[in-house]
């Protein structure tokens, strides 16, 4: 130390710690000259002693002015060393870096100034301290003192220049530093980081794109910054990287796809738009790399299809179509089950457009990977059934197409119909609001006869008699009115002459027995008029209730529609269709005379021409069909209900109408018993509620609903 004091005069050391900047500056110039002389003499030991003195006695001193003098002295010594400074950097730089965290803002300012002057001298040799300098600059960029920030900014620009021209810079060592700081919220630090990313990306020899997954999430995080400038800088950097990705033959799409999927769900609109734009490009460019991530990508796209921002919706739809057009194979890592899980999850969402696209995906997977979808059917089937209650008609029609595709296999077809009936049973509003839409669409997609036969088979054994009656009434109304079922109606019209029509009639008859009006309608449609008359005459007092009359009213009005035009034309030949006339008169007798339906039917029957009858025929009609056989033209036979058919045809076509009537009467007996039991239970509950009322309370017995039993039996019939 004594040698050092002999080298540096005491006055210089004293002025180096003076409170006046000019004195410190002049002292530093003298230090520079002394070091320059020592360097020329090659006396590096004394140079090291001078540097140690400046560091220990000045930069680490508790006195602020000493620290300021030490910093300017170290910078002066470096300038004096010029080209030989590199061998002393290990002594010079650490004390300066330590001063960056000094409590005195002026000391921090002079530390920036000192390091700036040191860097100008040593240039590339400076790189060995880059990580520590970067860390210090990152902190100084957010310094509370504006002068320190300004000095740090100048130093930062110089360091960037040195790094861009150096061949010793290690990007591998730098990236961990960058990644650690990318989620910092301070706006000054964010600007500092984006600036470094942009500069390093501009250097041809530095492959920032290869490390993009390490800091991509941080850049996206900056897109939602409150500062417009930071958002703009982050967006500019991302746009540049995306352009590089388009032009690069080798990109790690997988890691970045995971980040983009998360950012696509951001609360910030600009972040979502940028993320979905990147995903769109990735889907076009990613190829096989993205196959394992298709499910995650789809999970990000589908909600964006219903985004409130139109730009996002447009890009999301385009991306969705692009993704669906790619025909990936499970052998390549395409996870059908994962895609189905995403689609199922979105089916429960609140946005109609998203639910529609989710159904399109399930439909596409069924066409391309049917076996894989069916193997996962248990996971999605319940959800698909619930979607039948969706408020959107378009969604319901689409899910029916999916169900129809699944139901191409007989086991799945029966399962679908069973579940459908179950849903109608537990949710009566579904049957009322959507029953007709669902049944009609299924008939188009899966063959009407097949659907109706299966429904009839299931309803025949239905234990809930009230539901069975309502369901049959709904099916009957659809059968009589839907244009989609015209072929089925035509087949039933030939029940007496066509084996296929006969089989369908018998198949439906078993379940149609749950509703008297449904059976009568079926008989009129099938032209089994004598049996219709027999059914009408078999009705007893309990059968003719308000519900029955409502259904009868509907039927009378339906008889005036084009569907029953053939029946009305048959009334032009009452002599040939006596049982039709008798059946219609039977219905007329059941209607209240003041009802609109009574007047409609009576008006129609008044229009029946009388010239086809003579008095003898009219007198004998009631005595049975056998008594009017001799009035039919020769060469004809009388069918079961009085219709003329060619010779040689079976009058009943194999239908045992007596057995059918017994079947109907048996089923109606079960309904009557069920209704009585329900009424008894209701009366018992009313009596019990009266008994438990407090004595002091006035007794107000509830009005007894005599229109029908409660709960299930009080359900309204579905209205077309």
């Amino acid at each position: 130390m004594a040698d050092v004091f002999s080298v540096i005069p005491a006055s210089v050391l004293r002025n180096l710690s003076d409170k006046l900047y000019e004195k410190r500056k002049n002292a530093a110039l003298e230090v520079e000259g002394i070091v320059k002389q020592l360097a020329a003499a090659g006396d590096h030991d004394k140079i090291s002693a001078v540097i140690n003195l400046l560091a220990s006695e000045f930069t680490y001193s508790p006195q602020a002015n000493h620290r300021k003098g030490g910093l300017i002295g170290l910078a002066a010594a470096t300038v004096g060393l010029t080209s030989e400074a590199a061998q002393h950097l290990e002594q010079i730089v650490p004390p300066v870096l330590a001063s960056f965290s000094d409590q005195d803002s002026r000391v921090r300012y002079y530390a920036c100034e000192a390091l700036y002057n040191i860097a100008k001298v040593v240039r590339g040799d400076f790189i060995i301290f880059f990580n520590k300098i970067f860390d210090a600059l990152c902190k100084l960029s957010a310094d509370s003192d504006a002068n320190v920030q300004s000095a740090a900014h100048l130093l930062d620009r110089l360091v960037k220049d040195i790094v861009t021209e150096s061949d010793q810079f290690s990007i591998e060592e730098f990236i961990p530093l960058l990644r650690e700081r990318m989620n910092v919220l301070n706006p000054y630090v964010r600007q500092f980081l984006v600036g470094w990313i942009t500069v390093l990306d501009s250097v041809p020899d530095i492959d920032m794109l290869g490390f993009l997954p390490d800091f991509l999430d941080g850049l996206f995080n900056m897109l939602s910054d409150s500062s417009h400038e930071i958002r703009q800088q982050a967006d500019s950097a991302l746009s540049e990287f995306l352009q590089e990705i388009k032009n690069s033959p080798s990109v790690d799409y997988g890691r970045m796809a995971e980040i983009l999927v998360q950012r696509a769900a951001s609360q910030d609109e600009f972040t979502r738009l940028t993320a979905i734009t990147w995903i769109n490009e990735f889907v076009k460019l990613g190829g096989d790399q993205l196959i394992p991530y298709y499910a995650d990508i789809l999970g990000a796209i589908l909600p964006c299809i219903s985004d409130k921002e139109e730009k996002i919706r447009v890009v999301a739809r385009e991306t969705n179509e692009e993704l669906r057009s790619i025909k990936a194979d499970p052998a390549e890592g395409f996870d059908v089950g994962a895609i189905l899980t995403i689609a199922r999850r979105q089916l429960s969402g609140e946005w109609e457009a998203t639910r529609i696209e989710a159904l399109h995906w399930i439909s596409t997977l069924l066409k391309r990977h049917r076996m894989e979808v069916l193997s996962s059917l248990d996971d999605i089937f319940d959800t698909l059934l619930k979607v039948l209650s969706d408020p959107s008609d378009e969604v319901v029609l689409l899910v029916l197409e999916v169900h129809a595709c699944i139901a191409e296999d007989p086991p799945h077809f029966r399962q679908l119909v069973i579940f459908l009936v179950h849903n109608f049973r537990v949710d009566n509003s579904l049957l009322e609001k959507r029953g007709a839409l669902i049944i009609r669409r299924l008939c188009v997609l899966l063959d009407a006869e097949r659907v109706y036969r299966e429904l009839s088979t299931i309803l025949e054994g239905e234990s809930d008699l009230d539901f069975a009656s309502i369901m049959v009434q709904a099916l009957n109304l659809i059968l009589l009115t839907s244009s989609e079922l015209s072929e089925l109606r035509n087949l039933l019209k030939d029940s007496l002459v066509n084996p296929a029509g006969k089989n369908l009639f018998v198949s439906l008859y078993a379940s149609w027995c749950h509703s008297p009006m449904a059976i009568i309608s079926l008989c009129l449609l099938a032209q089994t008029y004598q049996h219709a008359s027999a059914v009408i005459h078999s009705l007893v007092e309990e059968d003719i209730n308000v519900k029955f009359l409502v259904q009868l009213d509907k039927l009378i009005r339906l008889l005036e529609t084009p569907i029953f035009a053939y029946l009305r034309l048959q009334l032009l030949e009452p002599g040939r269709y006596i049982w039709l006339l008798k059946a219609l008169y039977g219905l007329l007798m059941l209607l209240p005379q003041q009802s609109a339906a009574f007047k409609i039917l009576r008006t129609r029957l008044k229009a029946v021409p009388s010239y086809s009858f003579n008095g003898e025929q009219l007198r004998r009609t009631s005595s049975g069909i056998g008594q009017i056989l001799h009035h039919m033209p020769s060469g004809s036979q009388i069918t079961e209900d009085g219709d003329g058919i060619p010779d040689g045809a079976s009058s009943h076509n194999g239908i045992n109408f007596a057995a059918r009537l017994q079947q109907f009467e048996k089923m109606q007996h079960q309904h009557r018993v069920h209704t009585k039991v329900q009424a008894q239970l209701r009366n018992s509950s009313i009596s019990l509620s009266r008994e438990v009322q407090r004595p002091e309370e006035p007794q107000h017995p509830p009005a007894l609903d005599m229109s029908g039993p409660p709960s299930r039996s009080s359900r309204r019939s579905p209205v077309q």
Side-chain angles (χ1 to χ4, degrees):
M1 187 67 70
D3 292 339
V4 176
F5 288 117
S6 64
V7 173
I8 303 178
S11 60
V12 173
L13 295 175
R14 186 169 53 253
N15 288 337
L16 201 60
S17 60
D18 198 275
K19 65 180 181 179
L20 296 176
Y21 173 73
E22 287 299 325
K23 288 186 176 182
R24 295 197 301 272
K25 181 180 179 181
N26 291 331
L29 290 173
E30 292 189 39
V31 170
E32 178 185 339
I34 294 170
V35 171
K36 189 177 294 186
Q37 292 176 1
L38 292 173
D43 194 349
H44 286 279
D45 290 338
K46 286 186 178 180
I47 293 173
S48 295
V50 170
I51 294 171
N52 284 333
L53 173 67
L54 293 172
S56 59
E57 297 298 325
F58 286 86
T59 58
Y60 293 123
S61 171
Q63 300 298 321
N65 289 329
H66 280 66
R67 297 196 296 274
K68 295 173 187 176
L71 290 168
I72 196 172
L74 287 173
T78 305
V79 174
L81 285 167
T82 60
S83 61
E84 298 182 36
Q87 59 185 299
H88 295 284
L89 284 179
E90 292 286 354
Q91 293 175 279
I92 297 172
V93 175
V96 179
L97 291 175
S99 300
F100 281 144
S101 58
D102 198 282
Q103 293 182 351
D104 192 323
S105 62
R106 296 304 297 169
V107 174
R108 297 196 300 274
Y109 176 84
Y110 285 117
C112 292
E113 185 182 70
L115 194 57
Y116 182 89
N117 291 323
I118 293 168
K120 281 178 67 176
V121 173
V122 298
R123 303 297 291 185
D125 295 324
F126 187 67
I127 293 297
I128 60 173
F129 296 100
F130 174 78
N131 287 357
K132 292 180 180 178
I133 294 170
F134 179 83
D135 181 59
L137 287 172
C138 188
K139 295 174 182 176
L140 290 176
S141 65
D143 199 278
S144 57
D145 189 278
N147 291 325
V148 175
Q149 279 191 25
S150 179
H153 181 65
L154 289 173
L155 175 60
D156 179 52
R157 289 201 321 198
L158 177 60
V159 175
K160 286 174 181 173
D161 290 340
I162 294 171
V163 167
T164 56
E165 65 187 27
S166 172
D167 57 358
Q168 298 179 2
F169 176 73
S170 174
I171 185 66
E172 290 80 5
E173 294 180 9
F174 169 71
I175 289 298
L177 290 175
L178 181 64
R179 184 174 57 241
E180 289 173 5
R181 291 160 178 77
M182 285 305 292
N183 290 321
V184 174
L185 299 179
N186 187 284
Y188 298 107
V189 175
R190 284 184 162 183
Q191 281 185 307
F192 170 79
L193 295 173
V194 175
W196 268 99
I197 290 171
T198 304
V199 167
L200 292 176
D201 187 47
S202 66
V203 180
D205 295 334
I206 298 178
D207 180 23
M208 284 294 283
L209 184 60
F211 295 95
L212 182 57
D214 291 291
F215 55 88
L216 180 64
D217 189 61
L219 281 176
F220 267 94
N221 202 25
M222 294 180 191
L223 292 175
S224 58
D225 196 278
S226 57
S227 168
H228 174 72
E229 186 177 358
I230 293 175
R231 292 198 304 271
Q232 197 171 37
Q233 289 178 354
D235 180 49
S236 178
L238 285 169
S239 298
E240 185 62 32
F241 278 118
L242 185 57
Q243 191 60 42
E244 291 178 30
I245 288 172
K246 293 178 182 179
N247 300 326
S248 176
S250 177
V251 178
D252 184 0
Y253 290 102
R255 285 180 61 194
M256 289 189 284
E258 295 176 354
I259 296 169
L260 297 174
V261 165
Q262 295 175 358
R263 289 298 169 183
S266 171
Q267 295 296 317
D268 180 68
E269 182 180 298
F270 187 47
T271 304
R272 289 199 309 277
L273 177 59
T274 307
I276 205 71
T277 302
W278 274 61
I279 291 174
N280 180 271
E281 294 296 338
F282 274 31
V283 170
K284 295 175 181 176
L285 302 169
D288 295 343
Q289 278 195 52
L290 281 181
I291 289 178
Y293 301 95
Y294 276 4
D296 294 334
I297 291 173
L298 181 64
I301 293 172
L302 289 179
C304 289
I305 288 174
S306 303
D307 199 278
K308 60 183 180 181
E309 175 58 41
E310 185 181 0
K311 292 180 181 178
I312 297 176
R313 294 198 302 270
V314 170
V315 179
R317 284 190 177 279
E318 180 186 334
T319 309
N320 182 58
E321 294 300 324
E322 189 76 30
L323 189 65
R324 197 160 58 222
S325 67
I326 300 173
K327 297 181 180 180
D329 192 271
E332 300 172 348
F334 181 67
D335 192 341
V336 176
I339 295 286
L340 284 173
T341 300
I342 293 295
R344 176 181 58 80
R345 188 183 306 151
Q346 296 301 331
L347 283 177
S348 304
E350 58 181 305
W351 302 298
E352 177 184 347
T354 296
R355 297 197 300 274
I356 289 172
E357 291 305 320
L359 288 170
H360 280 310
W361 266 98
I362 296 175
S363 180
T364 300
L365 291 175
L366 272 168
K367 293 173 184 175
R368 294 180 186 170
H369 310 288
R370 182 176 181 82
M371 295 308 299
E372 289 82 356
V373 174
L374 293 181
S375 65
S376 304
L377 191 59
D378 291 342
D379 298 330
I380 63 170
F381 199 74
D382 286 345
T383 303
L384 289 174
L385 286 169
K386 291 177 182 176
V387 178
L388 290 171
S389 304
D390 195 278
S392 165
D393 284 350
E394 187 175 356
V395 172
V396 173
L397 292 174
L398 275 174
V399 78
L400 285 172
E401 289 184 14
V402 172
H403 278 301
C405 190
I406 294 172
E408 289 177 4
D409 301 328
H412 293 122
F413 171 74
R414 178 163 178 77
Q415 186 182 18
L416 167 64
V417 180
I418 289 173
F419 271 97
L420 191 60
V421 172
H422 171 74
N423 273 21
F424 285 147
R425 184 189 303 110
V426 299
D427 184 7
N428 197 39
S429 64
L430 176 64
L431 180 60
E432 291 182 7
K433 298 175 182 177
R434 288 287 170 74
L437 177 68
I438 292 171
I439 298 299
R440 290 167 60 184
R441 189 60 184 162
L442 278 181
C443 287
V444 172
L445 296 169
L446 290 173
D447 178 61
E449 182 177 352
R450 185 185 180 198
V451 171
Y452 261 72
R453 281 180 179 274
E454 192 65 42
L455 284 168
S456 180
T457 301
I458 294 170
L459 291 172
E460 181 181 357
E462 175 62 48
S463 58
D464 186 342
L465 297 181
D466 294 322
F467 165 72
S469 177
I470 293 172
M471 185 73 190
V472 166
Q473 290 169 21
L475 291 174
N476 183 64
L477 197 58
I478 296 168
L479 174 64
L480 295 178
T481 58
S482 300
S483 58
E484 296 88 345
L485 275 70
S486 60
E487 292 185 7
L488 203 63
R489 290 195 294 271
N490 291 334
L491 186 60
L492 283 168
K493 289 176 185 177
D494 296 334
S495 296
L496 293 177
V497 295
N498 187 334
K502 182 264 293 186
N503 290 336
L504 178 60
F505 176 81
V506 173
S507 175
L508 297 183
Y509 193 98
S511 59
W512 258 236
C513 287
H514 283 291
S515 169
M517 196 47 58
I519 279 289
I520 295 170
S521 303
L522 182 65
C523 291
L524 293 178
L525 186 61
Q527 303 188 67
T528 56
Y529 301 135
Q530 183 178 0
H531 187 67
S533 179
V535 168
I536 294 169
H537 281 80
S538 71
L539 297 175
V540 298
E541 180 181 345
E542 291 91 333
D543 298 328
I544 307 171
N545 51 32
V546 174
K547 294 178 183 178
F548 174 86
L549 293 175
V550 169
Q551 293 298 314
L552 179 54
D553 183 276
K554 291 180 183 178
L555 175 60
I556 299 305
R557 295 176 189 276
L558 282 172
L559 292 177
E560 297 298 316
T561 63
I563 291 172
F564 282 101
Y566 72 93
L567 182 146
R568 298 196 301 275
L569 290 173
Q570 288 173 350
L571 291 175
L572 293 173
E573 302 178 79
R576 185 179 179 188
Y577 297 99
I578 293 176
W579 288 111
L580 167 60
L581 200 62
K582 188 171 183 180
L584 294 179
Y585 270 109
L587 294 178
L588 185 68
M589 295 302 108
L590 297 178
L591 286 166
Q593 292 189 37
Q594 301 304 315
S595 66
F598 179 87
K599 296 173 183 177
I600 292 171
L601 183 55
R602 183 179 62 176
T603 303
R604 174 61 62 186
L605 291 174
K606 283 182 178 179
V608 175
S610 59
Y611 62 79
S612 293
F613 280 112
N614 57 37
E616 185 68 15
Q617 282 179 311
L618 290 172
R619 184 179 62 80
R620 296 181 179 182
T621 296
S622 60
S623 63
I625 191 169
Q627 298 183 27
I628 62 171
L629 281 171
H630 65 281
H631 295 287
M632 297 299 295
S634 60
S636 296
Q637 286 188 339
I638 301 300
T639 64
E640 182 267 347
D641 54 338
D643 296 355
I645 61 174
D647 286 331
S650 171
S651 60
H652 293 74
N653 196 21
I655 302 176
N656 187 339
F657 284 102
R660 297 282 81 79
L661 185 60
Q662 290 179 359
Q663 185 180 18
F664 169 74
E665 291 175 341
K666 181 180 179 181
M667 180 61 71
Q668 287 306 303
H669 175 72
Q670 292 179 17
H671 276 269
R672 287 192 289 271
V673 170
H674 172 73
T675 302
K676 289 179 181 178
V677 170
Q678 291 296 314
Q680 290 173 358
L681 290 174
R682 183 185 59 195
N683 292 335
S684 299
S685 64
I686 292 174
S687 301
L688 183 62
S689 65
R690 287 175 176 174
E691 292 176 3
V692 298
Q693 286 179 340
R694 294 180 181 178
E696 64 272 18
E697 292 180 351
Q699 301 296 311
H700 296 292
L704 188 61
D705 181 8
M706 297 303 293
S707 62
S711 66
R712 293 175 178 169
S713 60
S714 63
R715 301 175 184 170
R716 292 186 298 107
S717 299
V719 179
Q720 178 71 8

